Amino acid sequence: MDPALRKALHNHVIIAIVFVGLILQFIDVSALAYYWRTGTVLVSTRAFCFAWLSIHTIGLIGTTILVAWGSVERHILIFHPNLIRTKTKRFFFHYLPLVICMMFPGVFYITMLFIVPCSTTVSYNKVSCGLYACIAVNPSIALYDSVVNYIIPPFIIVIFSVALIIRVLASKCRARQRIEWRNYRKMAIQLLSISFLYMFLYCPTIFLYATYVAGLLPYITATGYYSDLNYFGYFAVTLTPLICALSMPELRTKFKICFPCCRRCRAAVGPQALMMTRPIAGPTAAIAAIAK
């Protein structure tokens, strides 16, 4: 990637999302595919089970929290650029929140799985060896995990993404406070594309889960539909790099350079030489006519 793109502040959260998603794809998705094919875990050891559950929970929740922070940060970058003009302000309003979003799910789940005592029996015939019960067995911890990690981030994505669209349209309509939309269009479109991807694939699961937690629906309602929806989050993680590439003109140009077959063949239009022939007269013309 171009160093200028890596240094751009609005790309840092995107790079973090893609990096976490890459780890999730290599380990969690591979382990899930092996489990659903064989009915057993990939490596039948307690250490692998804890590592698998840690990567699964930290990866899925971490990407969602990063997308939520990206939805908030776009408002800062577009409408409040003064908050990131100095190094101190960039540290507190850009780098520090990004580090917190990446560390929070790791600290929470590692504490729950490795520090808090857990009496759950390891089962090599269940997803993540059935160790998620270490969190679900405690009602207060399960409620905190459900609200903070599963419900709040998707709601932040929805609220701040819709607010970004409204603020952009409102700013364009104001004559005196109009923002330079051309300078921030790429920044807004990139984040909104990822946000809508998560809202379409990830948020239905969260909204159904929120109704369970709030007691609006019993847990026996739509259990098959809910279990299938749980895997939609992986599609959001898988499609995020593609959405990022499509939203960045620089990457589209490099893609066309690396894959010449994707370029459109255009016929070259230029001056062409015309051959001028003179009519043949006399006996030569008669001989030519007979020859034809």
Side-chain angles (χ1 to χ4, degrees):
M1 184 184 291
D2 188 353
L5 296 178
R6 291 196 301 266
K7 294 179 181 179
L9 297 182
H10 65 275
N11 285 332
H12 290 171
V13 66
I14 305 299
I15 295 173
I17 293 171
V18 174
F19 177 75
V20 175
L22 183 63
I23 298 176
L24 194 68
Q25 292 289 328
F26 273 125
I27 300 177
D28 187 25
V29 175
S30 300
L32 276 175
Y34 183 86
Y35 170 80
W36 288 116
R37 185 173 63 86
T38 63
T40 58
V41 299
L42 182 61
V43 181
S44 299
T45 61
R46 188 178 180 89
F48 176 80
C49 292
F50 276 100
W52 181 14
L53 179 60
S54 301
I55 293 173
H56 168 76
T57 51
I58 294 172
L60 283 179
I61 300 303
T63 53
T64 310
I65 293 177
L66 286 172
V67 175
W69 163 244
S71 304
V72 177
E73 188 186 35
R74 284 302 186 271
H75 289 264
I76 299 175
L77 296 176
I78 296 176
F79 300 100
H80 306 284
N82 292 328
L83 296 177
I84 55 172
R85 292 193 185 278
T86 64
K87 292 182 179 181
T88 304
K89 291 182 178 180
R90 279 197 297 270
F91 174 79
F92 285 104
F93 292 99
H94 176 71
Y95 294 106
L96 183 60
L98 187 61
V99 172
I100 292 175
C101 290
M102 296 182 66
M103 292 183 60
F104 173 76
V107 172
F108 175 79
Y109 286 109
I110 289 176
T111 302
M112 293 296 104
L113 295 176
F114 295 97
I115 298 178
V116 178
C118 177
S119 59
T120 302
T121 304
V122 177
S123 176
Y124 300 122
N125 297 322
K126 295 181 180 179
V127 177
S128 301
C129 305
L131 290 177
Y132 191 76
C134 294
I135 300 175
V137 71
N138 191 320
S140 58
I141 295 178
L143 180 61
Y144 177 85
D145 178 47
S146 302
V147 175
V148 176
N149 294 329
Y150 285 93
I151 296 178
I152 293 180
F155 275 97
I156 292 177
I157 295 173
V158 174
I159 293 173
F160 280 88
S161 297
V162 175
L164 179 61
I165 297 175
I166 296 175
R167 293 187 70 178
V168 167
L169 295 178
S171 299
K172 291 180 66 176
C173 295
R174 296 174 185 172
R176 296 182 179 179
Q177 301 180 0
R178 181 180 301 174
I179 63 173
E180 297 180 2
W181 173 239
R182 292 183 179 179
N183 298 335
Y184 301 105
R185 178 177 55 186
K186 185 194 308 181
M187 191 185 306
I189 291 177
Q190 184 185 55
L191 190 279
L192 288 175
S193 302
I194 299 174
S195 298
F196 284 123
L197 177 67
Y198 273 76
M199 283 189 286
F200 180 73
L201 295 175
Y202 195 83
C203 288
T205 310
I206 300 304
F207 292 149
L208 185 58
Y209 183 71
T211 59
Y212 292 154
V213 175
L216 301 178
L217 288 176
Y219 282 94
I220 60 174
T221 304
T223 54
Y225 178 68
Y226 175 74
S227 61
D228 293 337
L229 283 179
N230 282 327
Y231 294 97
F232 276 40
Y234 290 101
F235 290 99
V237 175
T238 303
L239 294 175
T240 298
L242 179 61
I243 297 298
C244 295
L246 293 177
S247 61
M248 299 178 67
E250 299 87 352
L251 293 183
R252 290 200 302 266
T253 303
K254 290 186 177 181
F255 181 82
K256 293 179 180 179
I257 295 175
C258 296
F259 299 94
C261 59
C262 298
R263 303 175 186 174
R264 295 181 179 179
C265 297
R266 298 181 180 179
V269 179
Q272 298 180 358
L274 299 177
M275 300 298 296
M276 302 298 294
T277 58
R278 296 181 179 180
I280 304 175
T284 307
I287 296 173
I290 294 173
K292 292 181 179 180

